[in-house]
Amino acid sequence: MEEVDVEPAVTNIPAASSGTHLGFAWGPGDILVYETLYKCHSFITSRLEFPGTGSGDIHEVRKDEDIYSPILRKLFNESHHIFVGLQTIREDLPSKNKKPQFVSISKNYRSVIRACMEELQQVLQKWQCNMETRYVSILLAIELIWNLCEVLFIDAAPAGSLLLHLLDWVRLHKADVDEKAREVLQSESPAEHRDYWDVVGAAYVLQGRLEEARQMLVKQATLQPAARKMYKQMDTLLSKMPFYNPGGTQTLTEFDVKWRHWHEEVDRCLQDNSFASNKHLELICKILVGDEDTLLEHKDLLSTWYHFLVTRLLFCHPTVKPTELHYYAQSCLTMFLDSRSVPEPLDSILLAAFEFDIHQVIKDCSIALNNWWFVAHLTDLLDHCKLLQSHNLHFGSNLREFLLLEYASGLFTHHSLWQLAVDYFDHCPEFGRVYLELQIERVPLDTERKALKVLRICEQRQMSEQVRSICKIMAMRALRNNRLGSALSWSIRAKDAAFATLISERFLQDYCARGTFSDLDLIDNLGPAMLLSDRLTFLGKYREFHKLYGEKRFREASKLLLSLMTAKIAPRSFWMTLLTDALPLLEQKEVSHHIVRYAVYGLLLSNIKKTSKYSYLRSCNQRIFGFFSGKNNIKDVLII
Amino acid sequence: MFVARSIAADHKDLIHDVSYDFHGRRMATCSSDQSVKVWDKSENGEWHCTASWKTHSGSVWRVTWAHPEFGQVLASCSFDRTAAVWEEIVGESNDKQRGLSHWIKRTTLVDSRTSVTDVKFAPKHMGLMLTTCSADGVVRIYEAPDVMNLSQWSLQHEISCKLSCSCISWNPSSSRAHPAMFAVGSDDSNVTYGGKVQIYEYNENTRKYAKAETLMTVTDAVHDIAFAPNLGRSFHVLAIATKDVRIFKLVPMRKESTSTGPTKFEVQIVAQFDNHNSQVWRVSWNITSTLLASSGDDGCVRLWKANYMDNWKCTGILKGDGSPLTGSSGQPTAMSTVVGSSVQTSQNALNGMSAGSIAKLFAEQDSLNEPY
C-alpha cells in the first residue's frame, strides 16, 4: 500500500512581526500559541535587549469543531450505541448467521447518518444559514461510501445480485429524481411539462425503474393517439426487460441467456428504426441497448461517473462479477471525466472500493476527512466481518485499534461526550486501558457530581491509582476551602491514611478552639472507615464519648474513656482536653473508682505541664481528691 | 486547524512560557516583565486573568504547575538566579466574586549561581519534588516532605552535569519496572564537548542519581527536551529540540542480577526532522503522546504524528503572519475537497442552493465561532 504524501495544512497565526518565534502549550483539545523570542539563555543579559515589545496575544488553536456541533452529537451518541452492540455479538456463531447481523448493523449506522443529514438540512432550510453546509456534504459523501462498502464488502453480493444492489445504491443517492417526477406529475398536463422527457428518459430508465417509466409513458401515449403503436412497442420492450431474481429458481446462466435475447430484440428495434420518428423514444431505446455515446451525451442527467457505471452495467453486463468491477469502474471514470477535470478524493475512494482495496479506502478517507468518526466505525465493522485480516492479522487489528483510539481521544476533550469514549477504550484490548487511564485523570472535576461520575467509571475498571488520585485532588480542594467534612470523606475514599490523620487533627483543633464538632453526621457515621488512621479512630471514638456522655450513659462513657487512654489512641497532646471534658463525668458516682484513678494518675504521670496539672486538680471535686488519701494539699499530690 | 479565540495577554514584555494546569482549566504565563499571571477558564470558554504579580527581579523563563493532588501550586524560575514556589490562598468571598485570587511565595531557592533555565516538578508518585537546572551546569532536586507546609524544602540532590544546562524532563512513567529517571539538555555550543543530552537514573541502593546514558550523537546545543507519556511500553521515547527535531527510543537492556549500576540502554533514533531549517527551540508532547509539537527559528510551530505503522510525518504547520514559510511545505492542496461538483449538484438539488458553489470542505474553513 503506497504512502500518499499529503502536504500538511498551514494555519496562519495573527502574529505581528516577522522575526518572532512562536511558543506553544498543549491543552485539552487545543494548543495555545503565542509570540516569543527564544535565545540561548547566556545571551540575554537584560530584558532591555528587547525594548518596547509588549506581549502579543495568546491564541487558542483548535483542530476541528465537529464535536461541538449539536446535531452531530446525535450521530456520536447513536453510533456509540450501535458500536457497543456490535462488540457484544457472540464470537462463536458461524459466519453464515453473522452476515445478516453485520449487514443490519451497517444499515443502522447508515440510517443514523441519514437522520443526521436530514435534520441538518431541515435546520439549514429553516434558518437559511450556510454554516453547517459542509457537514451535509460530508455526511452525504460518507453515506455514499459506507453504502458502497456495505454492498461490496459486508454483503459481498455475488454476480447477479451485485448489480441489483448497485442499482439500489445509485437510486438512493440520486433523490432529486423523485422530486422532479413529483413536480411533473403534479402539473396540469404532465406529458407537456418541459421536464417530462428528462424524467422518463433520464431519471427512470437510466436507473432501471422501468415500471415507473411505463406509467409515465402512458400519459404521453394518450396525447398522441396516432403514435399509439410505437408507444405500445416501447411499453412491451420495457416490460420484458429481465431482472435477476436472487431468490428465484432461475440460475444466473439462464438469466443471462434470457437477457441477451431481450438485448438483441432491443437492438433490432434500433436497426429497424422502429422509433426513428420520435427522438425521445429513440433515445430511450438507445439507452436500453446500453449505447455508450448516448449515455455520455447525457452526463448532466447522470451527474456522476458512478451512475454512468451502474447504468452501463445494467444495460450491457448485468451479470457482472465483483472481480470484474474495477475494469468497468476505471474506464467509466475516465470516459466520464473530460480531459480537463481531475478525479477528486471522493472519486479515488470509490474507485478503491470497486477495486476491493479496503485498506486504500480507509486510508484515503482518513486523509480526506478531519474527523475520525467514519473510518473508526467502518473499520471496526469491517474488522468484525474479518475483512481486515486478509492482509496480516497483526496489521489488521492494529489499524482498527489505532483509529478507535484516535476517535475516542478526540471525544475525550468534550465536556459530556467523553463518557462515550470510555466504551470505545474498553474495546481496544491493547492500548485502550492505558489511554483511558491517561485521559480520564484529566477530566476537570468541576462538581462533586462529576467527580463521582468519573470515580464510578474508574472503580468499575479497578483503576485504583486513578481513584486514589481523584479522591486526593477532591480532598485537597475541600481542605483548602476549609470544608473539613468533605475533605475527610474524600480522604477516606482515597484510603489516604496520612491525609485522614491530618484532617482529623484539624477537626480536633477546631473542637479545642470552638468547643463543638463540625460535620457531626459524617463523624457519627464513619463505620469501619474509622480504622483508616489512628487519629481518625480517636476522632470517631471521642465524638462517641461525647454522645454517650450527653445521653447520660455515664458507665459506658467512662469505659470508653478508659479504652481511649489505655489503647493509646488518644494522642498525649489531647489528654488535657480529654480529661477536662471528662471531669464532670468522673465526678459521677456511677463511674467506677478504678477508672477515675487511672485517669487522674495518667494525667499526673504524663508530661503535661505542671501548671496545667495544678489547675486541673484545683478544679477537681472532693471525690477525686479523695483518691489521694493522705495527701491534703495539691502540692503533695503533684509530687507523686 | 484554526484560531478559535485570542486572549490579550497584557504582559508588559515578552512572554517566555505558558503552562496549562493539569485539568486544562487554568493557565499561567510568565514574562520578561518579571511577573507571572494566572488565568482561569470560565464555563463559556473565556479566559479571565485572576492574578498577576511580580515574581522575580529578572526575566522569568519558565512557569509550571504542581499536580493538583498537592493543591494549587506553581513554580517559576528566572534570570535572577532563583526559583520560587507559589501557593494560592483561598481568599475572601468578595475576592472570589470579583474573580481574583491571591498567590503567596512559599519559598525561594537561591542555590544557583547563574540564571535558572528550567524548573519542573517530578512525577507525583515521587512526592512533591521540584527540579531546577541552571546555566552553571547543576541540576538541583528539592523535596517538600510535608505537603501541608510548602515553606520547607530541602535540597536532596545536587548533580553537576559539567555543561551549561538549558532544559530538564522527567520520565512521567510511574511503572515499578524501572527507577525514576530524568533527562537534561545542554545548550553549550561547543561540539567537541560530546553528547548534549544526559539521562540520570535513581539508584535505590546508593539513594543517589547516577548518569545512565549520554546521547553522544546529539552534539549541537539542545534547547528543549521532552519525555513522551508512557503508554505501558517497555521502552522510553524522548524528543529533543536541537538544530533539528529528533525523537529517540531508549530500550532498557536486561540487567544481570548482580549488576548494581544504572540501566544500560539501547539508543535508537526514531525520527529526525529538519523542516524548520533552523534551530528548534521547543518540543512538547500532547497528553496521549500521539502528537509532538516543535517550534523553530523559522517562526513556525510544526505538529508531528506517527501513523499506525509508526511512520512519522508532519501533519500541520502553525505560522505567524509575518514569517515567510521556508523549508519543505507548500500550500494546502487537493486534499481539501472530498466532495466535488458531482455530489454537490445533487445536494444542491436537494436544498435548492445555486449550483456552482464549490464546497471547500476541510482546510481553511471559516472559524465557526458562532454557536449553532
Side-chain angles (χ1 to χ4, degrees):
Chain A
M1 198 162 84
E2 11 72 79
E3 273 286 320
V4 175
D5 236 341
V6 182
E7 288 295 323
V10 179
T11 310
N12 276 316
I13 309 293
S17 41
S18 62
T20 52
H21 296 134
L22 284 182
F24 61 87
W26 281 110
D30 63 24
I31 184 168
L32 295 176
V33 179
Y34 55 95
E35 253 182 75
T36 185
L37 265 177
Y38 294 117
K39 275 271 188 271
C40 280
H41 293 98
S42 46
F43 290 141
I44 300 180
T45 50
S46 105
R47 65 185 170 98
L48 296 174
E49 200 166 309
F50 308 104
T53 46
S55 69
D57 289 347
I58 299 173
H59 308 282
E60 213 179 88
V61 179
R62 292 190 169 278
K63 193 158 177 282
D64 62 51
E65 291 286 276
D66 290 355
I67 55 176
Y68 294 99
S69 160
I71 290 186
L72 286 191
R73 191 162 313 162
K74 228 198 229 174
L75 178 74
F76 298 136
N77 270 306
E78 290 178 20
S79 57
H80 161 260
H81 190 67
I82 301 172
F83 171 84
V84 171
L86 171 57
Q87 309 311 309
T88 51
I89 284 183
R90 287 173 50 203
E91 276 297 312
D92 53 353
L93 286 177
S95 37
K96 185 163 59 107
N97 297 354
K98 283 203 248 176
K99 184 159 106 162
Q101 256 188 315
F102 290 142
V103 172
S104 155
I105 288 173
S106 179
K107 287 194 195 317
N108 280 345
Y109 272 126
R110 285 198 295 119
S111 72
V112 168
I113 299 172
R114 288 232 139 216
C116 192
M117 198 159 50
E118 272 158 35
E119 202 181 319
L120 255 181
Q121 282 169 343
Q122 278 173 12
V123 162
L124 285 175
Q125 277 175 348
K126 187 170 174 195
W127 299 104
Q128 298 288 308
C129 61
N130 59 0
M131 260 186 283
E132 313 268 40
T133 314
R134 70 187 187 113
Y135 289 135
V136 178
S137 315
I138 295 172
L139 289 174
L140 211 67
I142 284 177
E143 210 262 316
L144 181 75
I145 300 168
W146 193 308
N147 198 345
L148 185 60
C149 290
E150 181 187 304
V151 166
L152 297 176
F153 307 147
I154 303 173
D155 216 344
S161 313
L162 177 58
L163 178 65
L164 296 174
H165 282 113
L166 286 175
L167 212 46
D168 280 335
W169 175 66
V170 159
R171 285 174 188 168
L172 198 57
H173 293 95
K174 192 119 178 49
D176 59 344
V177 169
D178 288 299
E179 235 185 78
K180 238 193 212 166
R182 230 192 329 266
E183 209 185 288
V184 168
L185 285 171
Q186 281 170 0
S187 68
E188 279 195 23
S189 180
E192 285 168 339
H193 196 285
R194 70 191 161 119
D195 284 334
Y196 172 81
W197 283 111
D198 276 350
V199 171
V200 181
Y204 286 148
V205 178
L206 286 172
Q207 286 191 3
R209 291 157 75 170
L210 303 187
E211 259 307 310
E212 288 156 285
R214 286 173 66 202
Q215 283 170 14
M216 285 292 272
L217 275 179
V218 160
K219 298 195 194 305
Q220 190 64 241
T222 49
L223 281 185
Q224 298 180 33
R228 195 187 310 167
K229 193 160 153 257
M230 209 169 28
Y231 276 91
K232 189 83 179 73
Q233 196 178 12
M234 175 53 79
D235 187 71
T236 314
L237 272 184
L238 290 171
S239 68
K240 279 165 65 178
M241 177 174 177
F243 278 87
Y244 180 63
N245 180 2
T249 50
Q250 185 190 55
T251 68
L252 194 62
T253 327
E254 285 165 7
F255 162 76
D256 197 30
V257 165
K258 227 180 142 198
W259 183 83
R260 282 183 197 288
H261 232 64
W262 174 84
H263 196 264
E264 276 159 22
E265 200 180 323
V266 179
D267 202 26
R268 243 176 290 131
C269 285
L270 261 183
Q271 306 303 331
D272 290 348
N273 288 320
S274 311
F275 302 107
S277 55
N278 185 325
K279 63 169 179 162
H280 295 295
L281 290 178
E282 172 105 333
L283 170 65
I284 292 176
C285 196
K286 282 192 179 164
I287 294 174
L288 290 178
V289 89
D291 182 56
E292 254 168 41
D293 295 322
T294 312
L295 293 179
L296 283 170
E297 273 163 34
H298 293 88
K299 273 196 212 174
D300 55 324
L301 293 171
L302 288 169
S303 73
T304 61
W305 65 272
Y306 40 93
H307 191 336
F308 172 52
L309 166 67
V310 175
T311 303
R312 193 169 154 226
L313 290 172
L314 174 65
F315 295 120
C316 300
H317 313 276
T319 55
V320 63
K321 297 210 257 299
T323 46
E324 293 167 342
L325 261 185
H326 73 276
Y327 295 125
Y328 296 109
Q330 183 63 71
S331 69
C332 283
L333 175 61
T334 317
M335 279 193 265
F336 196 86
L337 296 179
D338 46 51
S339 50
R340 285 168 291 127
S341 49
V342 149
E344 284 156 356
L346 176 63
D347 299 327
S348 316
I349 293 168
L350 294 174
L351 198 59
F354 285 123
E355 289 169 2
F356 285 83
D357 192 346
I358 297 181
H359 289 274
Q360 193 66 40
V361 172
I362 295 171
K363 185 142 185 257
D364 288 349
C365 289
S366 305
I367 293 171
L369 297 164
N370 67 351
N371 179 290
W372 299 99
W373 179 87
F374 173 52
V375 284
H377 288 89
L378 180 62
T379 307
D380 172 60
L381 180 56
L382 294 175
D383 189 57
H384 272 90
C385 300
K386 306 263 189 277
L387 288 168
L388 290 184
Q389 294 176 358
S390 56
H391 271 232
N392 179 316
L393 185 71
H394 188 63
F395 181 92
S397 65
N398 258 354
L399 175 61
R400 168 191 171 270
E401 201 168 295
F402 177 83
L403 295 173
L404 286 175
L405 291 172
E406 287 286 339
Y407 171 65
S409 297
L411 283 182
F412 233 101
T413 56
H414 190 273
H415 61 86
S416 65
L417 290 175
W418 64 270
Q419 294 167 79
L420 301 181
V422 175
D423 286 310
Y424 288 96
F425 285 131
D426 281 344
H427 290 104
C428 291
E430 227 180 299
F431 288 111
R433 190 188 170 87
V434 69
Y435 265 70
L436 181 58
E437 283 172 357
L438 263 182
Q439 297 190 61
I440 202 156
E441 275 189 331
R442 303 271 185 163
V443 173
L445 309 167
D446 307 313
T447 59
E448 251 197 46
R449 198 160 144 259
K450 193 166 182 194
L452 290 170
K453 208 185 264 191
V454 176
L455 269 181
R456 205 179 335 119
I457 291 172
C458 294
E459 279 163 354
Q460 280 168 354
R461 289 157 181 77
Q462 284 100 42
M463 292 180 171
S464 46
E465 170 51 34
Q466 280 67 30
V467 170
R468 187 208 61 77
S469 183
I470 290 165
C471 291
K472 184 64 185 283
I473 293 171
M474 297 302 286
M476 193 52 143
R477 195 187 288 176
L479 184 62
R480 286 180 65 239
N481 286 291
N482 224 18
R483 290 180 284 119
L484 293 183
S486 180
L488 183 60
S489 64
W490 282 114
S491 314
I492 291 171
R493 195 154 177 177
K495 299 200 185 33
D496 192 330
F499 217 56
T501 298
L502 201 141
I503 297 168
S504 305
E505 280 282 359
R506 291 268 242 155
F507 266 114
L508 292 169
Q509 281 166 24
D510 242 17
Y511 171 78
C512 286
R514 295 187 304 162
T516 51
F517 282 110
S518 56
D519 298 281
L520 285 177
D521 255 348
L522 174 65
I523 303 174
D524 283 344
N525 294 300
L526 283 174
M530 211 190 284
L531 300 172
L532 182 60
S533 97
D534 274 353
R535 196 63 92 251
L536 181 59
T537 313
F538 174 66
L539 178 65
K541 292 285 176 197
Y542 189 52
R543 163 65 195 149
E544 203 182 312
F545 167 73
H546 271 266
K547 263 176 72 184
L548 289 171
Y549 193 179
E551 290 163 12
K552 295 200 185 334
R553 290 152 70 179
F554 297 130
R555 202 165 297 156
E556 290 166 71
S558 61
K559 282 199 184 130
L560 181 52
L561 176 67
L562 182 66
S563 73
L564 284 177
M565 293 176 80
T566 53
K568 300 186 172 44
I569 299 176
R572 277 297 166 110
S573 55
F574 210 73
W575 278 29
M576 198 63 231
T577 315
L578 190 64
L579 290 168
T580 310
D581 277 0
L583 190 57
L585 172 69
L586 295 176
E587 292 166 357
Q588 305 294 327
K589 51 181 173 6
E590 291 95 326
V591 175
S592 71
H593 293 185
H594 80 271
I595 290 178
V596 179
R597 195 196 309 265
Y598 186 90
V600 182
Y601 270 115
L603 171 69
L604 295 177
L605 293 170
S606 73
N607 53 10
I608 293 170
K609 280 203 313 243
K610 233 186 191 161
T611 44
S612 310
K613 293 182 199 176
Y614 185 80
S615 54
Y616 183 80
L617 285 174
R618 282 197 65 187
S619 50
C620 288
N621 72 357
Q622 198 51 39
R623 180 184 184 231
I624 293 179
F625 223 75
F627 284 114
F628 304 104
S629 49
K631 310 282 184 223
N632 286 319
N633 65 49
I634 296 174
K635 279 220 189 96
D636 295 335
V637 174
L638 282 179
I639 290 167
I640 298 169
Chain B
M1 303 194 79
F2 66 102
V3 178
R5 82 171 28 91
S6 298
I7 308 139
D10 257 344
H11 274 286
K12 298 192 178 34
D13 205 329
L14 279 177
I15 297 174
H16 289 292
D17 198 16
V18 169
S19 177
Y20 257 111
D21 82 329
F22 188 73
H23 293 297
R25 287 302 174 90
R26 312 188 84 180
M27 74 165 164
T29 59
C30 65
S31 159
S32 263
D33 69 4
Q34 304 179 359
S35 75
V36 164
K37 285 182 196 276
V38 171
W39 306 75
D40 281 36
K41 195 168 193 178
S42 65
E43 293 264 319
N44 61 0
E46 299 271 318
W47 288 97
H48 303 281
C49 181
T50 52
S52 173
W53 73 103
K54 182 171 182 331
T55 46
H56 291 274
S57 51
S59 295
V60 188
W61 299 131
R62 302 261 201 170
V63 67
T64 183
W65 294 83
H67 193 278
E69 273 186 39
F70 302 112
Q72 297 296 302
V73 177
L74 280 174
S76 59
C77 69
S78 162
F79 177 75
D80 72 358
R81 306 195 297 274
T82 69
V85 177
W86 311 89
E87 188 175 15
E88 188 183 35
I89 297 301
V90 176
E92 304 293 304
S93 54
N94 51 341
D95 272 343
K96 265 218 185 103
Q97 279 170 2
R98 285 187 293 145
L100 295 175
S101 69
H102 295 283
W103 290 77
I104 66 171
K105 184 189 284 204
R106 287 303 191 196
T107 193
T108 311
L109 305 170
V110 299
D111 305 275
S112 175
R113 292 186 309 275
T114 57
S115 173
V116 182
T117 51
D118 199 359
V119 64
K120 292 265 166 40
F121 283 99
K124 68 169 153 77
H125 67 269
M126 295 172 60
L128 188 53
M129 290 181 74
L130 188 66
T131 325
T132 62
C133 72
S134 308
D136 66 6
V138 181
V139 170
R140 295 179 174 86
I141 304 180
Y142 301 85
E143 184 172 13
D146 179 4
V147 305
M148 298 310 297
N149 181 2
L150 293 184
S151 36
Q152 298 299 326
W153 291 79
S154 66
L155 175 58
Q156 300 281 67
H157 304 275
E158 210 163 10
I159 297 151
S160 175
C161 303
K162 313 275 195 311
L163 298 170
S164 150
C165 302
S166 59
C167 49
I168 4 167
S169 173
W170 280 93
N171 188 336
S173 157
S174 56
S175 155
R176 282 173 226 264
H178 57 81
M181 165 192 323
F182 67 89
V184 196
S186 165
D187 58 351
D188 187 304
S189 47
N190 192 326
V191 297
T192 56
Y193 285 163
K196 298 295 181 341
V197 174
Q198 299 172 36
I199 317 269
Y200 286 85
E201 211 183 44
Y202 187 68
N203 185 318
E204 289 288 343
N205 299 325
T206 62
R207 312 264 218 103
K208 284 196 193 324
Y209 282 88
K211 190 182 328 195
E213 188 71 46
T214 305
L215 300 185
M216 296 307 296
T217 54
V218 184
T219 50
D220 298 276
V222 168
H223 307 296
D224 201 9
I225 196 166
F227 268 107
N230 188 300
L231 292 172
R233 299 180 291 234
S234 59
F235 56 89
H236 313 293
V237 176
L238 185 62
I240 295 172
T242 171
K243 68 169 198 245
D244 49 31
V245 177
R246 277 181 227 187
I247 304 177
F248 284 93
K249 185 168 160 179
L250 302 167
V251 188
M253 301 206 279
R254 194 163 314 191
K255 268 184 163 167
E256 285 127 59
S257 48
T258 52
S259 137
T260 49
T263 317
K264 294 241 182 302
F265 292 99
E266 186 195 325
V267 178
Q268 303 168 9
I269 185 147
V270 167
Q272 191 163 352
F273 311 112
D274 55 8
N275 305 53
H276 283 287
N277 223 4
S278 55
Q279 291 291 324
V280 182
W281 293 97
R282 283 287 175 99
V283 281
S284 176
W285 297 92
N286 71 345
I287 292 166
T288 48
S289 78
T290 49
L291 276 174
L292 176 71
S294 64
S295 174
D297 243 349
D298 61 347
C300 292
V301 173
R302 282 180 162 73
L303 303 172
W304 311 93
K305 187 179 177 63
N307 67 2
Y308 58 91
M309 297 289 275
D310 242 357
N311 293 330
W312 287 86
K313 282 211 325 238
C314 179
T315 59
I317 301 174
L318 308 176
K319 147 181 123 51
D321 270 349
S323 314
L325 196 59
T326 56
S328 61
S329 76
Q331 304 304 314
T333 56
M335 75 170 263
S336 47
T337 52
V338 161
V339 180
S341 44
S342 48
V343 179
Q344 183 61 17
T345 325
S346 36
Q347 186 252 307
N348 285 345
L350 280 171
N351 62 10
M353 275 167 46
S354 68
S357 57
I358 298 167
K360 200 135 193 326
L361 291 172
F362 306 102
E364 320 290 353
Q365 57 263 45
D366 319 317
S367 61
L368 299 169
N369 281 350
E370 299 97 321
Y372 145 70

